[in-house]
Each structure stands twice: as C-alpha cells, then as structure tokens.
C-alpha cells in the first residue's frame, strides 16, 4: 500500500462524510456545492491552516507535518481515537532502506499460549489472531464454533478469507454485513501499520478481486480497532448464541491477540455453548450428552472450504 495515496484517499473520505451542518459551517444558498461533505477550504479554515497547505497534505505531500497540525486536522475532521492514530501512522516518517527488506518471519505461538488454549477448552472458544487476521492457533471449542482452521492449508487459515470466501460464514453470523465490514476496517488499520507486508498485499488483492462486498468496504477507508464486543452466531447444530469477546494482546508478541468468548450465565446461549462443548469433548466425557444424528464436524460447513 502506497502511504501517500492512502493518506490522500483517507483524508478525502473523512472530509466527504462530514456535512457543513455537522461541522458548524454556514452555507449560503447561492453557492452550489459540487463535492460531498466539506470543501477543502472549509476544512482548512476549521483546522487553522491555509487552503494550499491542507491541499498539499490531502494530495499526499505531507513532508514535515507537525503534530500540532495533525491534531488540528483530526479535530476538524472529527476523527475518533483509532482514526486519529491511523492518520499519525500514515504521516510518520519511514527510514530509508539501502538493502532489500526481508519478508516477515512466520508467526509462532508459544507453548504456554497453546497450553492456555487447552485449559480454556470446554469453557470458552478461544483462538490466537496474528497479523492480517491469520488464525495461528485455536482450541477445539473455537474450531467447532467457527471452522476447523487447523484442517485447512496454512495459507487459508485467515479469518477475513473465511468470512468473504466461504458461503458458510454468511449463515454463521446473522449480522454478517456488520461483522464483515468491521473485519475490512481492521485490515485497513493493519495495512497502515504494516504497509510493506507482502502477504497482506496479496490477501487484500485476492479479496478485492473475488468479493464485491470486500471491494466496496475497502474503498470506504474505514479503520477500526477490535478489542472487545458482542457477536451473534447461528450454529448449524446448537442454534443461536450471543457471545461476548475480549481480544487480549499476548505479552511479548505485540502482533498476536488472544480472542476469548464468554456467555451470560444461565442464558440460552450458555446452554447452547455447553451442548457444543459436550460434543467436542473426548468420547469418555460424552456420556451425558444428548443423542443426535448430527455432530459438529469442526465448523459450520465440512464440505465448503474458504
């Protein structure tokens, strides 16, 4: 991803979404507006910089931009904390390299984190997300809830890839459009932090070609940091569940996050999760599980691969 191009398109998209009324800019009826949202000169006035200066910034010519100016632009555009951090990331000077950059090393999950995933099995679906949304490790309950990532080829063990290229994902998440759009915004944030990651570039290119939804949301230039929230699932075996999630950074591995799901005690979702856990338990522990011809096969669809 070219950082100057991304800076230009990000600023234009944020300006286009901000109406004069929301920004407190008075508009005269005899001045026709040819652009959505604010004009460049209006945004420049709100930020306290010249129109020429802001124009150069929006065109990606952002040499020696001070934090004071960036703060003013962020306030004028009404950016949230994630968007503000993304703006600063895009304008951060990058050291010149005289040697060819090596590809990033494959990420590895420490044995202690694997042990933690096993400890959570039967209690909480849990998995480790790495760069680009790669699923680096997971416990049995997470694989039964979503899909058995560990049965997939290594390069396909990616949450965004599953979400956009496997039809099973659309039925797994009743709020698929919301969840998928958030995933795109998370990838956009990742691209700003790691613009020279070739595997990320390859993933975005593949999804852009193969998914019209991804292509549409990627063009919105939204960014989002996913740390916690609530997701609804419609599992083909145990039915509907509402799960809360927490993404916790793995100490010592800043590009890894442990994602854990919990349910409200005494809720129908807890009963459904317990039923799913009983079916993923070893045979010796299944004696009390209800009988059924259907058994989870490690994911919502065993005959469809992302």
């Amino acid at each position: 991803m070219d950082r100057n191009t991304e800076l230009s398109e990000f600023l234009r998209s944020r300006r286009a979404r901000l109406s004069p009324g929301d920004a407190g800019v008075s508009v005269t009826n005899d001045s026709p507006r040819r652009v959505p949202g604010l004009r460049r000169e209006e945004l420049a006035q709100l930020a306290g910089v010249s129109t020429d200066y802001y124009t150069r910034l929006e065109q990606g010519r952002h040499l020696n931009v001070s934090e004071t100016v960036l703060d003013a632009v962020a306030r004028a555009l009404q950016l949230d904390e994630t968007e503000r951090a993304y703006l600063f990331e895009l304008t951060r000077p990058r050291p010149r390299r005289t040697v060819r950059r090596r590809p990033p090393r494959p990420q590895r999950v420490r044995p202690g984190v694997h042990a933690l995933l096993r400890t959570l099995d039967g209690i909480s679906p849990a998995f480790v997300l790495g760069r680009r949304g790669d699923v680096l490790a997971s416990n049995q309950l997470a694989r039964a809830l979503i899909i058995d990532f560990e049965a997939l080829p290594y390069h396909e063990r990616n949450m965004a890839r599953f979400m956009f290229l496997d039809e099973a994902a659309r039925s797994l998440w009743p709020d698929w459009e919301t969840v998928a759009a958030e995933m795109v915004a998370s990838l956009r944030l990742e691209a700003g932090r790691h613009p020279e990651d070739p595997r990320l570039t390859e993933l975005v290119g593949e999804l852009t070609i193969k998914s019209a939804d991804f292509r549409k949301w990627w063009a919105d230039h939204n960014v989002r940091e996913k740390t916690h929230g609530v997701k609804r699932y419609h599992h083909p075996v145990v039915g509907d569940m509402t799960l809360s999630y927490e993404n916790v950074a793995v100490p010592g591995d800043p590009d890894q996050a442990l994602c854990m799901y919990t349910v409200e005690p005494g809720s129908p979702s807890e009963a459904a999760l317990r039923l799913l856990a009983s079916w993923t338990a070893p045979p010796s522990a299944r004696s009390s599980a209800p009988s059924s011809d259907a058994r989870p096969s490690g994911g919502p669809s065993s005959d469809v691969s992302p």
Side-chain angles (χ1 to χ4, degrees):
M1 183 183 69
D2 181 79
R3 295 171 66 84
N4 289 351
T5 300
E6 175 58 17
L7 173 64
S8 176
E9 294 178 353
F10 177 70
L11 288 174
R12 280 202 300 265
S13 68
R14 301 308 90 176
R15 179 168 57 86
R17 74 177 182 180
L18 193 61
S19 70
D22 292 336
V25 175
S26 59
V27 178
T28 58
N29 295 330
D30 59 348
S31 179
R33 306 187 68 83
R34 297 183 178 87
V35 296
L38 292 178
R39 295 167 173 164
R40 283 176 175 170
E41 58 267 26
E42 293 168 340
L43 197 285
Q45 184 176 6
L46 290 173
V49 297
S50 70
T51 300
D52 179 66
Y53 187 94
Y54 177 76
T55 298
R56 285 187 283 116
L57 178 63
E58 193 175 277
Q59 290 174 344
R61 296 181 288 160
H62 58 278
L63 298 177
N64 301 321
V65 183
S66 70
E67 290 191 4
T68 301
V69 170
L70 289 178
D71 270 327
V73 170
R75 286 195 301 271
L77 290 171
Q78 301 182 15
L79 304 184
D80 61 26
E81 286 301 314
T82 302
E83 292 170 327
R84 180 185 178 279
Y86 186 67
L87 173 63
F88 273 69
E89 186 70 39
L90 290 176
T91 57
R92 180 177 300 168
R94 293 282 169 171
R96 293 176 180 240
R97 293 185 174 89
T98 57
V99 296
R100 186 174 181 179
R101 178 172 177 155
R102 295 178 179 178
R105 294 180 179 179
Q107 291 183 281
R108 301 285 185 240
V109 177
R110 298 198 308 271
V113 179
H114 279 289
L116 178 58
L117 291 174
R118 291 193 296 271
T119 301
L120 292 171
D121 224 346
I123 303 171
S124 167
F127 51 91
V128 177
L129 282 177
R131 293 189 297 267
R132 306 169 292 271
D134 289 345
V135 180
L136 305 178
S138 58
N139 63 13
Q140 281 190 321
L141 194 50
R143 296 193 291 272
L145 174 65
I146 305 174
I147 193 173
D148 190 353
F149 285 101
E150 295 187 9
L152 299 176
Y154 181 79
H155 75 281
E156 294 183 6
R157 300 176 190 178
N158 180 274
M159 191 65 75
R161 204 174 187 282
F162 167 66
M163 190 169 293
F164 284 96
L165 301 185
D166 193 324
E167 286 298 323
R170 294 177 180 264
S171 58
L172 180 62
W173 286 286
D175 307 313
W176 180 85
E177 288 195 357
T178 298
V179 175
E182 290 176 351
M183 174 60 70
V184 177
S186 179
L187 273 182
R188 174 67 75 175
L189 184 64
E190 181 90 355
R193 292 171 174 169
H194 305 284
E196 298 176 358
D197 184 345
R199 287 190 58 196
L200 177 57
T201 301
E202 180 183 353
L203 174 65
V204 170
E206 179 185 16
L207 296 179
T208 299
I209 292 171
K210 295 182 178 179
S211 171
D213 288 315
F214 181 91
R215 189 162 57 247
K216 175 184 66 176
W217 290 323
W218 185 257
D220 289 339
H221 294 271
N222 292 328
V223 291
R224 174 167 176 156
E225 184 91 60
K226 297 196 299 181
T227 57
H228 64 280
V230 175
K231 287 184 180 178
R232 295 195 303 132
Y233 284 85
H234 178 74
H235 195 275
V237 175
V238 301
D240 295 332
M241 287 181 284
T242 300
L243 306 177
S244 299
Y245 70 88
E246 294 285 340
N247 288 346
V248 181
V250 176
D253 291 289
D255 289 333
Q256 295 185 20
L258 176 62
C259 182
M260 299 172 288
Y261 286 94
T262 59
V263 290
E264 183 181 351
S267 66
S269 295
E270 183 186 42
L273 188 61
R274 284 182 176 176
L275 182 59
L276 186 62
S278 71
W279 278 331
T280 61
S284 60
R286 287 193 201 146
S287 58
S288 61
S291 61
S292 172
D293 292 334
R295 291 291 184 271
S297 59
S301 172
S302 59
D303 56 353
V304 181
S305 296

